């Protein structure tokens, strides 16, 4: 009796830990976005829109768009995969829009102040990330309109989309981490708040990376 229950308790424990981590990620992405919104006070200057919109894009919209497919903590877990796909496209569209607007805000702010563009790793990686987000959104169109990708199987397109989406998310997370090193953020928060903010971004990236990799490996085992 005891030996039969032991193998069942381990998956249950792992399942509970994964559920807890996903719920925590939901709270982190919401709380971190609110924190940056209060800190940046969007609308007070052109610059203020940059951290607000970029955080809204990557920490909230993109994170939630991926967590929709989490088997442990999706907010619309009981809905069909088609419905989840529609909400995912909506959130990703909002993510791309906020990313472009956030990029435009900082670009125009530097132009007004006569400052050079892309002189830091944060600026360079941010530019790359925005370009990748736009490319990722355009490349995802064949998933909605399969006729655009003749000769490609839908399963293969989904695998490529998941892999490239994870890379895009990690780029966004890295850009935000570099943003925490900016003079503006470092001067606006205390040391413990800086480390806590960095920890929030790292934990969210770890949970998303774990979800996507587990989903890919599960499909690979199923197909083999």
């Amino acid at each position: 009796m005891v030996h039969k229950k032991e193998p069942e308790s381990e998956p249950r424990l792992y399942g509970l830990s994964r559920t807890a981590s996903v719920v925590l990620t939901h709270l982190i992405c919401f709380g971190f976005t609110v924190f940056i919104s209060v800190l940046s006070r969007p609308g007070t200057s052109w610059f203020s829109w940059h951290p607000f919109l970029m955080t809204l894009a990557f920490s909230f919209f993109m994170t939630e768009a991926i967590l929709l497919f989490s088997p442990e903590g999706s907010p619309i877990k009981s809905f069909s995969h088609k419905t989840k796909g529609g909400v995912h496209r909506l959130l990703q569209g909002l993510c791309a829009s906020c990313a472009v607007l956030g990029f435009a805000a900082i670009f125009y702010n530097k132009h007004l102040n006569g400052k050079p563009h892309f002189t830091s790793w944060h600026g360079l990686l941010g530019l790359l990330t925005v370009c990748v987000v736009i490319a990722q959104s355009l490349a995802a169109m064949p998933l909605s309109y399969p006729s655009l990708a003749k000769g490609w199987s839908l399963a293969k397109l989904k695998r490529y989309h998941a892999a490239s989406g994870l890379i895009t998310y990690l780029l966004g997370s890295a850009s935000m981490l570099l943003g925490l090193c900016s003079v503006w953020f470092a001067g606006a928060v205390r040391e413990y708040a800086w480390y806590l903010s960095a920890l929030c971004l790292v934990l969210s990236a770890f949970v998303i990376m774990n979800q996507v990799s587990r989903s890919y490996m599960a499909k690979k085992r199923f197909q083999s």
Side-chain angles (χ1 to χ4, degrees), residues 11-12 14-23 26 63-79 81 84 207-219 221:
R12 188 179 304 170
Y14 293 153
L16 287 174
S17 64
R18 286 196 296 268
T19 301
S21 65
V22 172
V23 172
H26 282 297
T63 303
E64 289 297 332
I66 298 174
L67 290 179
L68 285 175
F69 298 105
S70 170
E72 292 87 16
S74 173
I76 53 173
K77 186 177 180 179
S78 60
F79 287 71
H81 187 80
K84 291 178 182 178
V207 171
I208 294 298
M209 186 166 54
N210 184 54
Q211 176 188 320
V212 175
S213 60
R214 282 193 306 109
S215 176
Y216 172 74
M217 292 304 296
K219 290 179 180 178
R221 286 197 301 267

Side-chain angles (χ1 to χ4, degrees), residues 30-223:
F30 178 77
F32 183 71
T33 303
V34 171
F35 172 65
I36 295 298
S37 301
V38 173
L39 201 64
S40 62
R41 294 183 297 167
T44 55
S45 66
W46 276 104
F47 173 82
S48 66
W49 288 107
H50 175 68
F52 168 69
L53 288 169
M54 288 303 194
T55 304
L56 190 62
F58 295 103
S59 180
F60 187 73
F61 285 136
M62 183 172 275
T63 303
E64 289 297 332
I66 298 174
L67 290 179
L68 285 175
F69 298 105
S70 170
E72 292 87 16
S74 173
I76 53 173
K77 186 177 180 179
S78 60
F79 287 71
S80 66
H81 187 80
K82 183 178 180 181
T83 301
K84 291 178 182 178
V87 179
H88 175 80
R89 288 191 293 273
L90 174 62
L91 292 176
Q92 285 297 95
L94 291 172
C95 168
S97 300
C98 287
V100 171
L101 290 173
F103 175 81
I106 192 62
F107 190 91
Y108 186 64
N109 180 73
K110 284 183 174 291
H111 173 73
L112 286 178
N113 292 281
K115 294 182 178 180
H117 301 283
F118 316 121
T119 57
S120 66
W121 284 111
H122 173 62
L124 290 171
L125 189 60
L127 173 63
L128 175 63
T129 303
V130 172
C131 292
V132 172
V133 166
I134 295 173
Q136 171 76 357
S137 300
L138 294 175
M141 291 184 65
L143 293 174
S144 301
Y145 306 98
S147 60
L148 297 176
K150 295 180 180 178
W152 291 76
S153 67
L154 188 59
K156 184 178 291 187
L157 285 174
K158 286 183 177 180
R159 287 199 299 271
Y160 286 150
H161 178 70
S164 60
L166 177 59
I167 293 173
T168 305
Y169 185 83
L170 293 177
L171 282 173
S173 298
S175 297
M176 287 192 292
L177 276 172
L178 289 174
L180 299 185
C181 301
S182 66
V183 175
W184 168 76
F185 188 81
V189 299
R190 296 184 178 180
E191 188 176 2
Y192 74 89
W194 191 97
Y195 283 108
L196 185 60
S197 298
L199 181 62
C200 287
L201 294 176
V202 172
L203 286 176
S204 297
F206 178 78
V207 171
I208 294 298
M209 186 166 54
N210 184 54
Q211 176 188 320
V212 175
S213 60
R214 282 193 306 109
S215 176
Y216 172 74
M217 292 304 296
K219 290 179 180 178
K220 192 173 182 179
R221 286 197 301 267
F222 178 77
Q223 292 171 356

